[in-house]
Amino acid sequence: MAFITSIKRTIAFATTAALAASSMFAVEWGGLVGGDGKFYNNSEKFKGGDNPTIEATADASLWLRIPFSASGENYLITEGKYEFEHDHNIDGRDESDNTQYLDLSLFKLVFLKHLSTGDSAKEISLSLGRFYLSDLSGKIFTQNADGLLAKYNSTFLGLSLYGSYTGLLNGRAVSMLSCEDENTYHEDNDKLYEFAERYVVGSVSASLNNLFLNQTLCLEGFGTFRAEGESYNRMYGTLSISGPAFANTYYSVSSTLGYTAYDGDDDKIKTGVGNMTTGRIAYFTSFKDATFGLSGLFASDKFTGFTSNTAIQAQNEEQVSGILLAGPFGTIKPTESVLVNASAEIACDSHRGDEKDSFGLAGMQFKGGIAYQPFSDLSLKFSAVQFIDFDESENNKTTLELAAALTF
């Protein structure tokens, strides 16, 4: 608690200083109002798991950026959000559901210092407060938390150190994979703000830029440690390499070893060492900014991430664990204000083999979408995802989404 109190005092002091400086430098602010509607033909939101559901969401957010240096590189940025969601069970077998929450999604102080400029540019930066971070793989930790991030960057080397705490977040606004015990977070629809489960998170990473032929090599260690109830800790080591393969073609490959340690009685938790490997190659053209490529993802049965990330997007329950996805993708801009994307993936899971304990073919997933931005402050989006199960047609799932957002 002393550490948390110290952090709060630091933030309060820095906020006061930033507000004092705001009379000298331009303060920026803005907001967003938006809404989206989703249709699920096979929804886990209601009992039975096969009920068609419409999910309607409306949200509004306000942000404020206060610089406290003439360059604008040192600043405070904060954002608050309100969201209302209505889940309607179409066939009426279950009652519809309303939820809402308030969240301080961002409260970040940023300090940047240039050590040198030019061809040998070097800089250090510090971010402090509540902000979003994604791990090197982009699949394990993808959320905000309260903490700090220190970074050093040069032409050839990047270093970063990160530490954070999740227990002050609004559990209504984040979704973390955890175990089941008396301390597990359970959503209460009557509360606008409810503290999330307590985890201490830390990472260290290094990148070698332009190592050879403009290739970049990165290494990251990441750990999440439960700070209440039964011990449930996960540690990861990720190695990635990316860069140009040949003319207009770029690739990225990453592999993660994950170790899970658990002391409780939840038999759904699989302990031990697992692996997740991802790969992507893309070819960029000058015709309508079209891009074509192939992507793939493999996660072994014992691999478990931290933030809930759905692997098969037409259903809510498939996490990045015990799954294999691979297939082509493409994007094109018919006009400056329209972006179209499409992809197809073969899906395998770890319980489809002959003995139901090895990888076997599960089905296919098709995705497509169109984004339209008629004005700089208005965006519209439609997307569709279809999963076809090759074994059991009742597992087929469709997701349709229509979204709009207006910024000011």
Side-chain angles (χ1 to χ4, degrees):
M1 292 301 294
F3 171 75
I4 296 174
T5 301
S6 176
I7 289 291
K8 288 181 177 179
R9 288 175 178 172
T10 302
I11 292 175
F13 174 78
T15 304
T16 303
L19 289 171
S22 65
S23 60
M24 295 183 290
F25 310 115
V27 175
E28 301 175 73
W29 69 278
L32 180 147
V33 291
D36 68 76
K38 291 183 181 180
F39 166 81
Y40 303 97
N41 78 313
N42 194 346
S43 175
E44 297 297 318
K45 291 180 177 292
F46 294 93
K47 293 182 297 183
D50 60 350
N51 295 346
T53 301
I54 292 178
E55 174 189 298
T57 301
D59 59 80
S61 61
L62 288 173
W63 61 268
L64 178 69
R65 187 179 187 275
I66 305 173
F68 42 92
S69 68
S71 67
E73 294 176 329
N74 302 313
Y75 59 90
L76 165 70
I77 185 167
T78 183
E79 180 178 29
K81 179 180 180 180
Y82 167 78
E83 179 172 297
F84 173 83
E85 179 181 315
H86 174 72
D87 296 330
H88 178 68
N89 181 205
I90 295 175
D91 64 11
R93 282 185 286 169
D94 294 288
E95 292 184 3
S96 298
D97 189 25
N98 293 325
T99 62
Q100 59 182 334
Y101 69 81
L102 285 170
D103 188 36
L104 181 65
S105 54
L106 176 66
F107 191 97
K108 180 172 71 169
L109 288 156
V110 177
F111 304 92
L112 177 66
K113 181 174 178 59
H114 296 281
L115 303 178
S116 62
T117 58
D119 293 338
S120 59
K122 301 179 181 67
E123 65 183 32
I124 56 174
S125 64
L126 178 67
S127 299
L128 176 66
R130 176 173 296 181
F131 53 92
Y132 176 90
L133 184 84
S134 177
D135 74 289
L136 185 58
S137 73
K139 302 291 184 182
I140 298 167
F141 185 92
T142 54
Q143 64 176 77
N144 57 2
D146 298 305
L148 58 87
L149 172 65
K151 299 177 70 175
Y152 166 83
N153 280 307
S154 72
T155 307
F156 303 104
L157 178 66
L159 300 171
S160 72
L161 182 66
Y162 174 72
S164 67
Y165 176 70
T166 67
L168 300 178
L169 299 173
N170 188 350
R172 303 287 307 282
V174 295
S175 181
M176 300 180 295
L177 301 175
S178 194
C179 58
E180 292 288 343
D181 66 13
E182 69 277 4
N183 295 291
T184 300
Y185 166 81
H186 294 284
E187 186 172 296
D188 186 343
N189 292 341
D190 294 329
K191 294 183 179 180
L192 292 176
Y193 199 104
E194 188 175 12
F195 289 126
E197 284 197 77
R198 301 172 185 174
Y199 279 88
V200 175
V201 181
S203 74
V204 59
S205 66
S207 64
L208 298 174
N209 308 318
N210 302 313
L211 185 61
F212 59 91
L213 300 177
N214 294 320
Q215 307 298 298
T216 299
L217 180 71
C218 299
L219 179 65
E220 180 181 69
F222 214 101
T224 64
F225 308 93
R226 199 167 190 238
E228 62 178 342
E230 297 170 342
S231 175
Y232 183 29
N233 304 324
R234 283 155 283 183
M235 288 156 280
Y236 310 92
T238 301
L239 176 67
S240 77
I241 185 169
S242 60
F246 42 87
N248 299 326
T249 304
Y250 296 83
Y251 79 97
S252 62
V253 177
S254 74
S255 186
T256 302
L257 284 179
Y259 173 71
T260 299
Y262 175 59
D263 291 340
D265 299 324
D266 189 346
D267 57 8
K268 295 180 181 179
I269 303 297
K270 297 179 180 179
T271 61
V273 177
N275 172 258
M276 180 185 68
T277 298
T278 65
R280 177 184 173 96
I281 185 166
Y283 175 69
F284 297 86
T285 75
S286 58
F287 176 73
K288 303 292 185 180
D289 292 331
T291 302
F292 305 97
L294 296 169
S295 66
L297 179 150
F298 165 80
S300 67
D301 200 36
K302 289 188 176 181
F303 186 87
T304 304
F306 182 79
T307 307
S308 177
N309 282 303
T310 305
I312 297 178
Q313 295 181 15
Q315 53 191 23
N316 297 324
E317 71 277 10
E318 287 291 335
Q319 300 299 327
V320 183
S321 178
I323 196 163
L324 172 66
L325 298 172
F329 66 87
T331 65
I332 192 170
K333 293 186 69 174
T335 70
E336 283 299 314
S337 58
V338 176
L339 176 67
V340 179
N341 67 82
S343 66
E345 296 170 304
I346 287 287
C348 301
D349 69 40
S350 59
H351 302 290
R352 299 293 182 114
D354 293 338
E355 303 298 327
K356 302 300 181 183
D357 60 356
S358 60
F359 277 86
L361 189 61
M364 286 200 70
Q365 177 172 252
F366 300 93
K367 293 184 284 186
I370 181 169
Y372 176 48
Q373 190 167 9
F375 310 105
S376 60
D377 52 1
L378 175 64
S379 62
L380 305 171
K381 182 182 74 171
F382 172 77
S383 64
V385 186
Q386 175 68 56
F387 176 70
I388 300 174
D389 193 297
F390 289 162
D391 293 331
E392 300 179 18
S393 61
E394 59 266 28
N395 290 335
N396 294 350
K397 299 203 174 181
T398 304
T399 299
L400 304 175
E401 180 180 6
L402 180 64
L406 177 66
T407 61
F408 58 89

